[in-house]
Amino acid sequence: MKQLSKVLRLAQPTRLPRLGTRQARLLQTQAAIYTESGDPQAVVRVVERNLPDVPGSNQVLVRMLAAPVNPSDLNQIEGTYPVKGTFDKLTTSTDTIYAAVGGNEGVGEVIRVGDGVHGLQVGDWVVPQRAGQFGTWCTHTMTNASSLSAVPADWRSGLDPLDVACLKVNPCTAYRLLKDFAALNPGDYVIQNGANSGVGRAVIQLARYWGIRTVNVVRERPQLDQLHQELISLGADIVVSDKQLATDDIKQQLKSLDAPVRLGFNCVGGRATLQMTKFISAGGTLVSYGGMSRQPVTMPTSLLLFKNISACGFWMNRWYNQSFTSSRLEDEKHQMWREILGLIQQKKFVTQPLVTSNWHSQMDIGKAQEAVSGAVAWGAGSKHAFEFTQ
């Protein structure tokens, strides 16, 4: 499901053939980079970047296929995210600068493999293993093979690159929230705020698939009825606004549910989260995975003492880092990716609506800059993504 806005066609060079050990030539590519932290609209700029078309030892040359713009990417550029961008020497068409390429999530296709590379081959679709290793907002990247994970062809067969590009953060966060914090039984409820976010929509769809019911809180807005129907169509059971959550009718409805509300998922913070937490059943857990309001999470003593509500946090990036040293978590990661992609293949899960911009390496840099600046604006109103087409 994609909402297209100003679409900028950025044709990529065709796939490069393997050419033995000949001397490398420079490949002209484009990237959205920043040389200092700050407001993404102010510091991110598009440059032409020259890359060798022959990888070094243990490296691969990747043509990016798609990459989303996540809030954490913008926080990283601002300098407020725990994972910092990788700053390195970058050769542009005019000079050499010290910069980082934006973006942490995306999918690319391997088009050239260097000596000593095992487990990757030309044609593989790959995703970054860790946030911050290399930027994904670029037409091509040269990176160490060890920084990539291959997505098996049968897992992504028939899928749009955007579905794979958006896999690692939001759907996987939702998956772990539902799997790791309570032994949920079919018919149980979870309650969440930010229900129209990428994670919120994924929670709704995965919960429906597993027989879990959802109470979904969204911000009050003029088009509330339209959003209500949209979330219901995804599988939501109850959708209310934060304003409605404070009304006597909704309070009575939620207190009269026929099954416990075992978990609460918070990505907002502040008073709205406190109001939602009151509806978690005794012995339940509030899990915070974001804080878009930048307000603290507070909880009255009565919820701790008399309802035994616990509170904890979850960060998908930390889970991935732990998976690299745990064979059990590594197996769970692959099972998670395969299950989510399988649901997309079966039309039982859809990626959140995206405003996409397609890049063309021959287009005017000013027009490319305009597209990128629009995509990285906090007030953009919709989730943006880049598609890199040939």
Side-chain angles (χ1 to χ4, degrees), residues 142-161:
M142 185 80 74
T143 187
N144 291 328
S146 60
S147 69
L148 298 167
S149 293
V151 179
D154 59 326
W155 294 11
R156 45 93 171 174
S157 176
L159 298 185
D160 189 296

Side-chain angles (χ1 to χ4, degrees), residues 7-244:
V7 176
L8 305 174
R9 287 271 166 209
L10 272 178
Q12 302 286 339
T14 55
R15 183 185 297 182
L16 299 171
R18 303 192 74 158
L19 295 175
T21 58
R22 67 153 174 82
Q23 185 175 2
R25 294 192 294 264
L26 291 180
L27 176 68
Q28 181 177 303
T29 72
Q30 288 192 354
I33 62 99
Y34 56 103
T35 58
E36 60 181 344
S37 298
D39 179 356
Q41 279 195 297
V43 301
V44 175
R45 60 191 178 97
V46 177
V47 299
E48 292 181 342
R49 176 173 64 161
N50 295 326
L51 292 175
D53 67 351
V54 175
S57 178
N58 297 314
Q59 290 187 319
V60 293
L61 179 61
V62 175
R63 179 177 70 84
M64 293 304 298
L65 300 174
V69 178
N70 291 312
S72 57
D73 299 327
L74 306 185
N75 290 147
Q76 185 180 69
I77 294 167
E78 292 174 327
T80 60
Y81 197 62
V83 177
K84 307 304 179 185
T86 300
F87 284 78
D88 206 346
K89 288 184 178 180
L90 185 150
T91 302
T92 72
S93 58
T94 57
D95 58 3
T96 298
I97 58 177
Y98 195 67
V101 177
N104 291 288
E105 191 181 25
V107 63
E109 180 185 9
V110 175
I111 60 172
R112 186 67 59 77
V113 176
D115 293 336
V117 172
H118 302 284
L120 292 177
Q121 59 186 4
V122 171
D124 281 349
W125 282 21
V126 290
V127 296
Q129 280 207 4
R130 301 173 187 261
Q133 285 186 307
F134 65 89
T136 57
W137 299 347
C138 55
T139 61
H140 298 75
T141 188
M142 185 80 74
T143 187
N144 291 328
S146 60
S147 69
L148 298 167
S149 293
V151 179
D154 59 326
W155 294 11
R156 45 93 171 174
S157 176
L159 298 185
D160 189 296
L162 280 170
D163 292 323
V164 182
C166 297
L167 166 70
K168 284 193 62 185
V169 177
N170 291 337
C172 290
T173 296
Y175 189 103
R176 301 258 60 95
L177 290 175
L178 289 164
K179 286 285 191 181
D180 294 351
F181 294 93
L184 296 171
N185 298 310
D188 284 348
Y189 282 92
V190 299
I191 188 170
Q192 63 169 341
N193 56 29
N196 60 318
S197 67
V199 172
R201 290 167 182 264
V203 164
I204 290 170
Q205 295 176 87
L206 292 174
R208 176 185 61 179
Y209 180 70
W210 292 326
I212 308 303
R213 293 181 284 185
T214 57
V215 179
N216 303 278
V217 185
V218 298
R219 284 185 296 105
E220 184 72 24
R221 65 194 66 210
Q223 298 83 21
L224 183 60
D225 289 344
Q226 178 181 338
L227 179 58
H228 179 280
Q229 291 304 317
E230 186 178 344
L231 297 184
I232 291 294
S233 71
L234 291 177
D237 295 281
I238 299 172
V239 180
V240 297
S241 72
D242 49 4
K243 183 177 179 180
Q244 292 170 336

